[in-house]
Amino acid sequence: SQELEQSPQSLIVQEGKNLTINCTSSKTLYGLYWYKQKYGEGLIFLMMLQKGGEEKSHEKITAKLDEKKQQSSLHITASQPSHAGIYLCGADYNTNAGKSTFGDGTTLTVKP
Amino acid sequence: GAVVSQHPSWVICKSGTSVKIECRSLDFQATTMFWYRQFPKQSLMLMATSNEGSKATYEQGVEKDKFLINHASLTLSTLTVTSAHPEDSSFYICSALEVYNEQFFGPGTRLTVL
């Protein structure tokens, strides 16, 4: 099984609705990253979480990391068409490695 | 924030030819860079870790003789896809680690092999 699982795989919401994307790790994380991407383009860094229970917000996007550091959620409030894209969570498991393992991504469509 | 560039942004080549992709950290030095590959509608898969001044470390299943990595300086890593075939067509993304271990991604290179 995968080390990092994302759900749902795809999501279609009406503009203005809230949504949540989850990322679950099979082992304790050193760091958890959220990115947004459109296929064929680079990754846009959204947020990094390192401490258990940590929560960060940027505009209408909030990300949380649970106390055990194995599960993170990304929450978008009052979604807009500009939020559409692929959301990827990435995990670091080693304090020195720096390399990331990625979830399969969640494709978000926001209907106007 | 730190900037990582990739060149070219897209390339089309004939089967059997070799293609070189460059990854540069523009405003910081990176002793470590990573190369990822992404197929349509799939996530990024780590191919290899590129270390300045030493051999790259390849992930399981990645052919090191096919995907040659050279980290010639603290700001440049190159990925050469040798004898490319249509199944190598993909989106290749590099990333670079800056001094605080924060990872910055390049914009990616789309490779199409005819």
Side-chain angles (χ1 to χ4, degrees):
Chain A
S1 62
Q2 266 186 295
E3 279 184 331
L4 204 62
E5 293 198 358
Q6 252 182 272
S7 63
Q9 190 175 21
S10 65
L11 196 53
I12 302 173
V13 299
Q14 202 70 37
E15 182 177 357
K17 296 294 186 182
N18 303 335
L19 63 106
T20 300
I21 299 169
N22 294 301
C23 182
T24 302
S25 172
S26 59
K27 50 187 182 180
T28 302
L29 302 157
Y30 169 72
L32 189 289
Y33 305 81
W34 283 101
Y35 301 92
K36 182 184 174 185
Q37 187 203 20
K38 293 182 181 179
Y39 175 71
E41 300 181 14
L43 298 174
I44 300 170
F45 171 79
L46 296 175
M47 270 169 277
M48 179 182 75
L49 303 166
Q50 281 190 298
K51 299 176 183 176
E54 188 174 10
E55 178 176 323
K56 288 186 178 179
S57 293
H58 176 68
E59 297 180 345
K60 294 185 178 180
I61 301 176
T62 301
K64 300 178 185 179
L65 181 62
D66 74 335
E67 290 289 345
K68 291 184 178 180
K69 295 175 65 175
Q70 284 190 262
Q71 202 268 336
S72 179
S73 59
L74 184 81
H75 185 77
I76 299 178
T77 304
S79 59
Q80 300 169 358
S82 60
H83 287 127
I86 302 168
Y87 288 82
L88 288 165
C89 63
D92 286 347
Y93 293 104
N94 183 313
T95 57
N96 295 319
K99 62 184 178 183
S100 294
T101 301
F102 287 88
D104 285 342
T106 297
T107 302
L108 172 64
T109 303
V110 180
K111 289 187 172 182
Chain B
V3 178
V4 175
S5 70
Q6 277 185 244
H7 177 79
S9 55
W10 60 270
V11 57
I12 301 173
C13 70
K14 292 183 178 179
S15 185
T17 60
S18 294
V19 175
K20 181 185 282 188
I21 303 170
E22 293 184 348
C23 178
R24 292 183 185 271
S25 55
L26 297 185
D27 49 3
F28 66 100
Q29 294 183 330
T31 55
T32 303
M33 293 185 176
F34 302 101
W35 287 97
Y36 296 86
R37 180 169 55 184
Q38 185 184 36
F39 293 106
K41 297 187 178 181
Q42 294 187 26
S43 189
L44 277 71
M45 296 297 296
L46 179 64
M47 298 175 66
T49 302
S50 172
N51 299 298
E52 189 268 337
S54 64
K55 291 183 180 180
T57 305
Y58 290 83
E59 296 298 304
Q60 194 173 7
V62 178
E63 299 175 59
K64 61 180 180 181
D65 293 331
K66 180 164 186 63
F67 298 100
L68 299 178
I69 291 172
N70 182 21
H71 198 143
S73 76
L74 288 171
T75 58
L76 174 64
S77 174
T78 60
L79 169 69
T80 302
V81 183
T82 62
S83 187
H85 291 286
E87 58 265 30
D88 298 323
S89 299
S90 189
F91 190 58
Y92 293 87
I93 296 180
C94 72
S95 70
L97 282 187
E98 52 84 71
V99 65
Y100 297 107
N101 267 357
E102 190 170 346
Q103 191 171 181
F104 295 92
F105 287 85
T109 297
R110 185 179 303 181
L111 170 63
T112 302
V113 185
L114 303 177

